Amino acid sequence: MRRVFSSVLASVLALAATAAFAQNKPPLKLGAILDMSGLYADITGPGSETAAKMAVEDFGGEVLGRKIEIIAADHLNKADLSASIARDMLDNQGVEALIDVAASATALAAGEIAKARNKIVIFNGPASIRLSNEACGPYTVHYAYDTFAQANVTGLATVKSGFETWFFLTADYAFGQDLEKDTTNVVVKSGGKVLGGVKHPLNTSDFSSFLLQAQASKAKVVGLANAGGDTINAIKQAAEFGLMKSGGQKLSPLLAFITDIDSIGLETAQGLLLAEAFYWDLNDDTRAFSKRFMARVKRMPTSAQAGIYSSVGHYLKAVKAAGTTDSAAVIKVMKDTPINDMFAKNGKIRADGRMVHDMYLFEVKKPSESKARWDDYKLLATIPGNEAFQSLELSRCPLVKK
């Protein structure tokens, strides 16, 4: 009897010790570096933090006996601050991987910090093609979209529709410059012509002088190589200037989101052609996720926010499968495992870190075609990932073997 009691007691003590050990394990922290208060706050911001937390909850809240935490910080659209936050998260706060890093200049800065520490960084909000080219690293992933795909899908469709002469309004930093360059290549390759362009500061409130130059160019298309609040302001002020109605010019926002269209309104935005990586009303899976997101955030998710949910889930599954948070082991599983969820079907992370998936060309509905708020897009085409994104053969990533 004593032997049985001793055996049971030993088992109980062993289980208690195991539970205590699990409880004493440090949490697995993911660091989200976001624009929480600036011109990209609706695109990423609190919505991206919420999407990341939803992914953690749906995964079960812990992995390898460690509780999962999302640590969020506001980079204020300053590259030096983004780098400082990344350094503090990785060196002092015990963060295992970085996510989002909204905006390209801030992403390039934080990416270098992660690269130096051999930590995984997953970009969703930023679009610069440099992130999977010159600035690529063994543990970097560019997930949702990039300037090449946006230019390729929107620019090609616009030129094919007979709008072959272009003038650019470009945000004067890495993202805008790359978007203009990539779109110019598509336009010229497709037989179009660029008549000129003008660069504007980030977070511009008055586009009047830039729009006057666009009007004077007589270009059929005014390409907006900007995003967020800049895109919204440019479209609203272009409508006030009569660029579309009286001038007969067409605006082409090269990176626009459902939140932008909601802010602009269908009366002004109707007829715009735009490329997106995600839309809430595509299928049952996108609608189910978006309904849950809407209940928390009170707006539909952008493609960046949907990408955050997908990428965090993919990362956590890889950690579980690898049995470790070691970057080399986790990134191998991430690249070896296809992505099938509400964001992507048969998505694949390539050697350059680019996650290849289908892209979509939409036309913004007329007010009479919309049944309710957020019912904003008509699907014109689904572009396979291998056609939308830059080919691996053209990659400038040092990791890609030629």
Side-chain angles (χ1 to χ4, degrees):
M1 192 71 180
R2 283 191 189 125
R3 283 198 299 272
V4 172
F5 178 75
S6 298
S7 177
V8 171
L9 181 60
S11 298
V12 170
L13 290 174
L15 287 171
T18 300
F21 177 73
Q23 290 175 356
N24 289 331
K25 280 187 178 181
L28 191 159
K29 298 179 182 180
L30 301 181
I33 306 178
L34 305 163
D35 180 357
M36 301 293 273
S37 55
L39 75 167
Y40 303 139
D42 286 348
I43 297 169
T44 64
S48 285
E49 182 182 5
T50 297
K53 290 180 177 178
M54 287 174 65
V56 170
E57 291 169 13
D58 290 349
F59 185 78
E62 65 175 45
V63 64
L64 306 182
R66 299 170 65 180
K67 182 182 176 183
I68 306 163
E69 293 183 6
I70 302 296
I71 309 296
D74 187 352
H75 59 42
L76 303 177
N77 281 303
K78 297 179 180 179
D80 57 344
L81 179 57
S82 179
S84 178
I85 291 171
R87 191 178 296 110
D88 181 59
M89 282 182 168
L90 296 175
D91 292 352
N92 303 320
Q93 298 189 49
V95 165
E96 293 284 358
L98 300 179
I99 55 176
D100 198 77
V101 201
S104 294
T106 48
L108 289 164
E112 289 303 310
I113 301 299
K115 202 186 304 183
R117 287 152 178 76
N118 294 321
K119 292 293 187 180
I120 290 174
V121 56
I122 308 171
F123 300 115
N124 274 286
S128 174
I129 189 68
R130 300 181 205 185
L131 294 167
S132 56
N133 277 284
E134 297 87 353
C136 77
Y139 308 120
T140 61
V141 178
H142 203 180
Y143 205 84
Y145 45 78
D146 61 33
T147 52
F148 186 98
Q150 296 295 137
N152 201 25
V153 175
T154 310
L156 185 59
T158 307
V159 174
K160 280 185 174 180
S161 299
F163 297 91
E164 73 279 1
T165 55
W166 285 62
F167 184 93
F168 287 97
L169 265 63
T170 301
D172 194 12
Y173 76 111
F175 153 70
Q177 294 158 13
D178 287 348
L179 189 51
E180 178 183 341
K181 178 183 176 182
D182 289 336
T183 308
T184 295
N185 290 338
V186 172
V187 168
V188 173
K189 187 177 179 181
S190 305
K193 186 177 181 181
V194 175
L195 302 183
V198 61
K199 290 181 171 56
H200 66 81
L202 189 67
N203 210 7
T204 294
S205 58
D206 184 3
F207 279 86
S208 55
S209 65
F210 309 120
L211 291 168
L212 285 171
Q213 293 179 62
Q215 274 184 321
S217 75
K218 304 297 183 183
K220 291 183 180 180
V221 181
V222 179
L224 303 179
N226 51 25
D230 284 336
T231 298
I232 293 169
N233 287 336
I235 293 175
K236 285 182 175 179
Q237 290 173 39
E240 293 169 2
F241 268 72
L243 251 74
M244 294 82 85
K245 286 188 177 180
S246 59
Q249 292 175 296
K250 189 177 186 68
L251 281 186
S252 180
L254 298 168
L255 183 61
F257 299 85
I258 191 73
T259 48
D260 300 332
I261 303 305
D262 185 67
S263 295
I264 295 163
L266 294 183
E267 187 63 41
T268 300
Q270 60 182 302
L272 292 177
L273 294 177
L274 49 88
E276 283 262 36
F278 174 90
Y279 178 48
W280 71 269
D281 201 20
L282 275 175
N283 53 55
D284 289 344
D285 290 341
T286 60
R287 284 187 285 271
F289 165 75
S290 300
K291 182 179 179 181
R292 294 169 53 218
F293 183 92
M294 180 78 167
R296 298 192 185 200
V297 183
K298 309 307 178 189
R299 66 179 67 198
M300 287 298 177
T302 64
S303 53
Q305 291 161 345
I308 279 284
Y309 175 88
S310 174
S311 60
V312 169
H314 188 61
Y315 170 83
L316 293 174
K317 290 173 187 174
V319 169
K320 182 178 180 180
T324 177
T325 57
D326 175 73
S327 295
V330 174
I331 202 72
K332 184 180 187 306
V333 176
M334 290 178 72
K335 289 182 176 180
D336 288 347
T337 308
I339 298 156
N340 285 291
D341 58 16
M342 35 58 75
F343 184 81
K345 301 302 178 191
N346 293 315
K348 178 74 174 175
I349 300 172
R350 301 187 312 201
D352 59 351
R354 173 69 259 166
M355 200 280 269
V356 177
H357 55 84
D358 291 350
M359 291 287 293
Y360 306 96
L361 178 67
F362 295 105
E363 181 180 5
V364 177
K365 289 182 176 181
K366 299 174 182 177
S368 60
E369 296 172 321
S370 177
K371 297 177 183 178
R373 185 182 179 188
W374 305 106
D375 178 23
D376 294 345
Y377 292 167
K378 287 189 291 186
L379 178 63
L380 299 184
T382 299
I383 297 87
N386 61 350
E387 295 178 19
F389 292 98
Q390 176 184 266
S391 69
L392 201 56
E393 290 74 22
L394 295 177
S395 176
R396 301 184 298 277
C397 173
L399 300 173
V400 176
K401 296 179 181 179
K402 300 296 184 181

